[in-house]
Amino acid sequence: MSFWFTLLLAGFLVVAVLLWVGVSIISPEVGLILLSSLAFGMFAFRLLSAYTLVMAVADAFRERGEVKDLQKVAQKSGKSEEELKQLPLSAALTLVMAALEPYRYTYYFGFVIVLLFALAVNTLPTFADLKTLMEAVFWGAALTTFIVWAFETFAEAAVAEVAEIEEKQNPAEGGH
């Protein structure tokens, strides 16, 4: 078995155990929160992986002054590695962040739809069970959305720090 298959299998096993614990031992609502969080996590995987890449590249530049994983940055930004070598690192990382905009807006739009649906269900005078279940879905989505927002904020701050370092290194060129 390959490493990635083993990792995927282990991930599914962990999710199955968490769902079993959440549903059978604690409550169905906890299981639904976990399932909703997992579903939104899969929806946000592209965002989280790109934000992680931006933070890792920026961290390596801050600590060691080296540019690492330029090939991965090129892949995420949609530009060639040769084009990115001509740009400052902050510009290359900004291109990665810009390439994520459609996914970011789609993700937040999905969260807003869940939020509006949860609010609409909670205003109904009946369907108490549906209210509880929809609230659980909302909280699972909110948990993952908070994580996405935190990663996004940290990635933007990392790009700003790289731009600041580049500007200090090359004050005459304005960081370019």
Side-chain angles (χ1 to χ4, degrees):
M1 274 193 292
S2 73
F3 171 74
W4 295 110
F5 180 74
T6 306
L7 188 64
L8 184 65
L9 189 61
F12 280 124
L13 184 62
V14 167
V15 168
V17 168
L18 286 175
L19 284 174
W20 177 77
V21 167
V23 172
S24 65
I25 296 176
I26 301 171
S27 71
E29 289 82 12
V30 172
L32 199 52
I33 288 171
L34 292 173
L35 193 60
S36 172
S37 183
L38 176 69
F40 266 77
M42 289 188 305
F43 190 36
F45 181 75
R46 180 182 294 254
L47 292 171
L48 293 174
S49 64
Y51 293 149
T52 303
L53 174 68
V54 167
M55 290 185 286
V57 170
D59 191 45
F61 183 75
R62 274 193 325 257
E63 289 182 4
R64 295 180 291 281
E66 66 184 35
V67 178
K68 75 171 205 173
D69 295 333
L70 196 59
Q71 183 181 8
K72 290 180 183 177
V73 172
Q75 182 183 8
K76 296 279 185 186
S77 68
K79 302 288 181 185
S80 71
E81 197 171 341
E82 292 77 29
E83 288 176 306
L84 293 182
K85 285 181 181 177
Q86 297 173 356
L87 297 173
L89 182 60
S90 60
L93 294 178
T94 301
L95 288 174
V96 172
M97 297 293 282
L100 293 174
E101 288 297 307
Y103 302 103
R104 186 174 74 106
Y105 288 125
T106 303
Y107 179 83
Y108 287 129
F109 178 72
F111 176 71
V112 167
I113 293 298
V114 169
L115 170 67
L116 292 175
F117 191 69
L119 290 173
V121 167
N122 275 329
T123 59
L124 296 174
T126 58
F127 305 115
D129 291 338
L130 182 61
K131 289 179 185 181
T132 305
L133 295 178
M134 197 58 217
E135 187 175 349
V137 169
F138 165 75
W139 284 114
L143 174 68
T144 305
T145 301
F146 176 74
I147 293 169
V148 168
W149 171 79
F151 271 56
E152 177 186 347
T153 303
F154 290 143
E156 288 172 354
V159 171
E161 284 183 29
V162 167
E164 189 176 304
I165 291 169
E166 287 176 333
E167 189 173 324
K168 286 179 184 176
Q169 289 176 349
N170 304 319
E173 298 175 16
H176 296 93

